[in-house]
Amino acid sequence: MSLVAEPTTRELLDDLLAQRILVLDGAMGTMVMAAGPTEADYRGARFKDHPIDLKNANDVLVLTQPELIENIHRKYLEAGSDIIETDTFNANIISLEEFGLERFTSEINQTAAEIARRVADEFTAINPEKPRFVAGSIGPTKVMLSMSGSCDAGERTHTFDQMVESYRVQIHALIDAGVDILLPETSFDTLNMKACLFAIETSFDELGVRLPVMVSGTIFEGGRTLGMQTIEAFLTSVSHFDAFSIGLNCGLGPIQMRPYLETVASHTDRYISCYPNAGMPDGMGGFDSDPEEVSTWIRKFAENGWVNIVGGCCGTTPEFIRR
């Protein structure tokens, strides 16, 4: 009797993308803020006596309020997401140092991936014709390698090697916990992204696995990254890496993102992802767009053939994803 090999994640994604556009989830932080966790909620019993305030350390909630994070994943899956992101955007050594949580980096990533994996598998079991995937969210950290944060242009708070190690610990934990995809996102400094991609490639070699990698950059009004690269320069800078997809998130709403997304579409042969903010900041702590407007623009991008994977970033909710 012949045995048929199970398709790889890449093969499954390729097959689905040949049929339709895939849908990411929306903002994790927006949903956490809407739930209104207190300092005591962030701390939970485990970090009751932690010496540093933990409010807004959203990644630690996977340890102290796992039901909250699970419910957010569930709401996005119910809204139609094919791919959900782990609650690990800042779960790297460099970012967690601010809260005195760096020694929990591996555990936070492992737990976050396990929570997302459990819920995604539950939805896949309900409807195997619509498999759900887990993307390990890897944020840009809170520092820039390419620019100084002080008057001394040559000063850096961290080295390239420190950045690589910070990412490597996170990546190993995400892979070990069974994510399907790695998603280094919101790249405002391409040198940080270079360190992340190097850490990913090194981790693949060390662990003997390869996962699809979605690369997502962030540009601001004027069409440049925080490091002042144009979108064309960003694409060229990461073109050496065998990315599954490349695209844009954060920074802009869909209206402002439109010309730069068109540039991406004309400069790459990879799948293209797009998950904009819910418009631009409205000056009141929110954003100036709504699900109808955002979905209308996303539809236009799709009709132009510019996108393969779409979702939402800051300010978006399950309703944006549903629309």
Side-chain angles (χ1 to χ4, degrees), residues 288-314:
D288 66 3
S289 193
D290 55 46
E292 180 178 0
E293 183 176 57
V294 170
S295 63
T296 296
W297 279 96
I298 293 291
R299 176 180 288 276
K300 292 178 181 179
F301 299 162
E303 290 171 344
N304 289 335
W306 295 344
V307 291
N308 306 102
I309 305 168
V310 299
C313 203
C314 300

Side-chain angles (χ1 to χ4, degrees), residues 17 81 107:
L17 285 166
S81 294
E107 184 183 0

Side-chain angles (χ1 to χ4, degrees), residues 105-238:
T105 300
S106 290
E107 184 183 0
I108 288 173
N109 283 277
Q110 177 95 17
T111 304
E114 289 171 350
I115 291 171
R117 175 85 275 154
R118 182 168 61 251
V119 184
D121 288 347
E122 175 189 324
F123 276 74
T124 298
I126 293 171
N127 182 8
E129 297 302 311
K130 184 179 173 63
R132 310 302 179 102
F133 302 89
V134 175
S137 172
I138 305 172
T141 80
K142 61 177 184 176
V143 303
M144 293 182 67
L145 288 178
S146 65
M147 295 179 65
S148 174
S150 73
C151 294
D152 181 355
E155 181 182 341
R156 297 293 185 275
T157 60
H158 295 79
T159 66
F160 184 88
D161 288 344
Q162 286 174 315
M163 183 72 72
V164 169
E165 179 61 16
S166 176
Y167 277 131
R168 191 190 69 82
V169 173
Q170 178 178 23
I171 291 161
H172 272 242
L174 290 171
I175 293 174
D176 287 344
V179 300
D180 302 300
I181 300 163
L182 292 178
L183 176 50
E185 58 179 328
T186 320
S187 175
F188 54 73
D189 185 337
T190 306
L191 192 55
N192 287 32
M193 176 61 78
K194 289 268 195 180
C196 183
L197 296 179
F198 181 78
I200 288 173
E201 193 64 42
T202 301
S203 297
F204 284 168
D205 291 340
E206 291 172 345
L207 298 174
V209 301
R210 300 198 76 83
L211 301 180
V213 179
M214 297 174 60
V215 174
S216 190
T218 293
I219 53 173
F220 303 90
E221 290 187 279
R224 293 177 181 269
T225 67
L226 201 57
M228 296 307 293
Q229 273 195 316
T230 63
I231 184 61
E232 294 93 338
F234 172 75
L235 293 170
T236 300
S237 296
V238 299

Side-chain angles (χ1 to χ4, degrees), residues 14 44 50 68 168 230 233 266 268 287 308 311:
D14 283 336
H50 193 69
L68 170 61
R168 191 190 69 82
T230 63
S266 65
T268 186
F287 294 85
N308 306 102

